């Protein structure tokens, strides 16, 4: 096996660690998953190193490949220490340095939204687009930009973090009376986009509107009763309001949606019309697409971090 042409990625999730070897065409050569060690940072380092060597051995490689890592958080540009990780054992750690030391290979790290957009722009739903905003709508809300062939990275390492922008005030004030606001966010701010558009945010909206638990099966099946129709209508209008702010600033060709809530098909039919009303233009040509690689975007994006060496 020609080792130099292969790419190695690891997705450090809160519940699973997944490693994959890709070839230059994005085909998965080897893949392996294990459970994430809980509150055990040294154990996690060992597990990642073992996964990498296991895959390399399975593929018949004799030299260590460079490693791309996908995490929910990111290294601070000031200290280099990890922050905002839901695998809390990672927070405050020098993950990149520690992995390089343990695995004796170069390591690059990107957060899950950056890996999603890199994966989808490379060989997924946004391939060949020059400007892409990748969105994660899941337990949390994140985002990342892929512009002119590379991830957009700035001095604060927060580009695309729209989940902690405030939801536009006029949209919040137009909500039905049952919906209490402002919603507190774990980041210390209020009415962050994440508090309304994440899975828990959607469930809270339904609970406050109707006094019952949301039925995600019903939402995905599109066989909606009146209560779920109302909840989803509010969710879609808030999603459009939040995305309109992104379009007015960056004007991406494609917005790719990933994460559990990206499986709601209604979003894709309703969003063009809703966005057209909210952006500063007489038309909205930005395309809204579902991520093609689903749960694999993290590990694929991590591997693509080394595509250009
Ligand atoms: Zn927040």
């Amino acid at each position: 096996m020609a080792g130099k042409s292969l790419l190695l990625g690891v997705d450090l999730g809160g519940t699973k660690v997944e490693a994959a070897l890709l070839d230059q065409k994005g085909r998965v050569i080897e893949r392996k998953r294990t459970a994430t060690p809980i509150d055990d940072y040294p154990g996690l380092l060992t597990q990642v190193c073992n996964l990498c060597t296991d895959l390399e051995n399975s593929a018949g490689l004799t030299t260590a490949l460079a490693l791309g890592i996908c995490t929910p958080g990111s290294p601070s540009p000031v200290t280099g220490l990890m922050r905002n990780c839901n695998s809390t054992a990672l927070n405050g750690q020098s993950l990149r340095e520690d992995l390089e030391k343990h695995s004796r290979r170069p390591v690059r790290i990107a957060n899950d939204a950056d890996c999603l957009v890199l994966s989808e722009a490379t060989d997924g739903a946004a391939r060949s687009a020059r400007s892409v905003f990748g969105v994660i709508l899941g337990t949390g809300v994140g985002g990342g930009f892929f512009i002119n062939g590379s991830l957009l990275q700035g001095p604060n390492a927060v580009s695309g973090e729209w989940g902690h922008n405030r939801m536009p005030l006029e949209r919040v004030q137009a909500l039905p009376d049952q919906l209490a606001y402002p919603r507190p966010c774990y980041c210390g701010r209020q009415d962050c986009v994440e508090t309304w558009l994440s899975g828990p945010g959607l469930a809270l909206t339904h609970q406050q509107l109707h006094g019952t638990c949301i039925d995600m099966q019903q939402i995905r099946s599109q066989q909606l009763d009146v209560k779920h129709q109302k909840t989803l209508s509010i969710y879609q209008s808030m999603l459009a309001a939040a995305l309109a702010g992104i379009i007015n600033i960056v004007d991406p060709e494609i917005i790719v949606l990933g994460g559990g809530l990206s499986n709601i098909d209604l979003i894709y039919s309703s969003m063009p019309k809703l966005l057209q009303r909210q952006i500063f233009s007489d038309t909205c040509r930005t395309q809204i697409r579902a991520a093609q690689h689903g749960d694999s975007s993290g590990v694929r994006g991590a591997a693509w971090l080394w595509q250009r060496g």
Side-chain angles (χ1 to χ4, degrees):
M1 183 68 66
K4 277 192 173 173
S5 62
L6 296 181
L7 300 159
L8 174 61
V10 170
D11 182 4
L12 293 182
T15 56
K16 66 169 172 60
V17 179
E18 179 173 12
L21 270 181
L22 304 186
D23 69 11
Q24 292 286 334
K25 292 187 173 173
R27 291 176 296 215
V28 177
I29 305 302
E30 300 285 344
R31 179 194 293 261
K32 201 167 178 182
R33 277 182 184 195
T34 58
T36 306
I38 307 297
D39 295 331
D40 179 7
Y41 181 66
L44 183 64
L45 295 178
T46 302
Q47 190 175 56
V48 171
C49 295
N50 290 344
L51 279 171
C52 293
T53 49
D54 283 356
L55 291 193
E56 287 163 341
N57 290 340
S58 300
L61 303 179
T62 52
T63 53
L65 295 172
L67 170 62
I69 293 280
C70 171
T71 72
S74 63
S76 159
V78 179
T79 64
L81 304 179
M82 296 300 292
R83 57 189 181 165
N84 303 333
C85 298
N86 61 1
S87 309
T88 51
L90 293 176
N91 287 325
Q93 304 288 355
S94 304
L95 180 63
R96 193 178 66 79
E97 280 180 20
D98 292 341
L99 276 175
E100 287 190 334
K101 205 184 304 170
H102 277 68
S103 67
R104 300 175 182 221
R105 64 182 81 222
V107 174
R108 289 178 182 164
I109 295 178
N111 73 24
D112 50 358
D114 280 348
C115 286
L116 167 81
V117 75
L118 181 56
S119 167
E120 294 297 327
T122 301
D123 67 345
R127 75 184 73 189
S128 78
R130 288 173 53 209
S131 55
V132 187
F133 183 49
V135 168
I136 291 185
L137 298 172
T139 311
V141 171
F145 290 105
F146 181 89
I147 307 288
N148 293 331
S150 54
L151 290 173
L152 181 65
Q153 292 176 317
N156 305 300
V158 292
S159 69
E161 291 285 12
W162 72 311
H164 297 278
N165 283 356
R166 193 161 187 166
M167 184 62 76
L169 191 59
E170 75 279 5
R171 186 81 270 298
V172 176
Q173 289 174 337
L175 290 169
D177 291 342
Q178 304 98 304
L179 290 175
Y181 67 89
R183 284 189 180 178
C185 182
Y186 76 88
C187 75
R189 297 169 189 82
Q190 294 182 323
D191 279 334
C192 287
V193 163
E194 178 167 307
T195 67
W196 294 97
L197 297 184
S198 63
L202 174 64
L204 180 60
T205 297
H206 190 82
Q207 176 72 38
Q208 289 185 340
L209 278 175
H210 309 297
T212 55
C213 291
I214 196 166
D215 177 358
M216 288 308 294
Q217 195 70 31
Q218 190 179 140
I219 294 246
R220 285 192 202 95
S221 71
Q222 300 191 56
Q223 305 294 314
L224 301 174
D225 63 18
V226 176
K227 290 179 178 176
H228 284 79
Q229 280 176 21
K230 184 169 182 180
T231 301
L232 207 51
S233 168
I234 289 170
Y235 182 85
Q236 290 171 100
S237 66
M238 296 189 101
L239 177 60
L243 288 178
I246 298 288
I247 294 174
N248 279 348
I249 294 170
V250 180
D251 202 7
E253 289 173 38
I254 297 176
I255 295 176
V256 180
L257 306 185
L261 300 187
S262 68
N263 296 327
I264 302 173
D265 288 341
L266 271 177
I267 289 175
Y268 303 95
S269 51
S270 68
M271 214 40 53
K273 204 175 280 184
L274 290 171
L275 283 170
Q276 195 161 338
R277 279 187 223 140
Q278 303 214 36
I279 66 170
F280 186 58
S281 171
D282 55 351
T283 183
C284 181
R285 298 162 73 181
T286 305
Q287 295 179 45
I288 312 294
R289 296 183 183 172
Q292 184 180 318
H293 293 297
D295 289 347
S296 296
S297 284
V299 74
R300 295 181 69 86
W304 290 128
L305 287 170
W306 286 96
Q307 185 185 16
R308 291 182 181 83

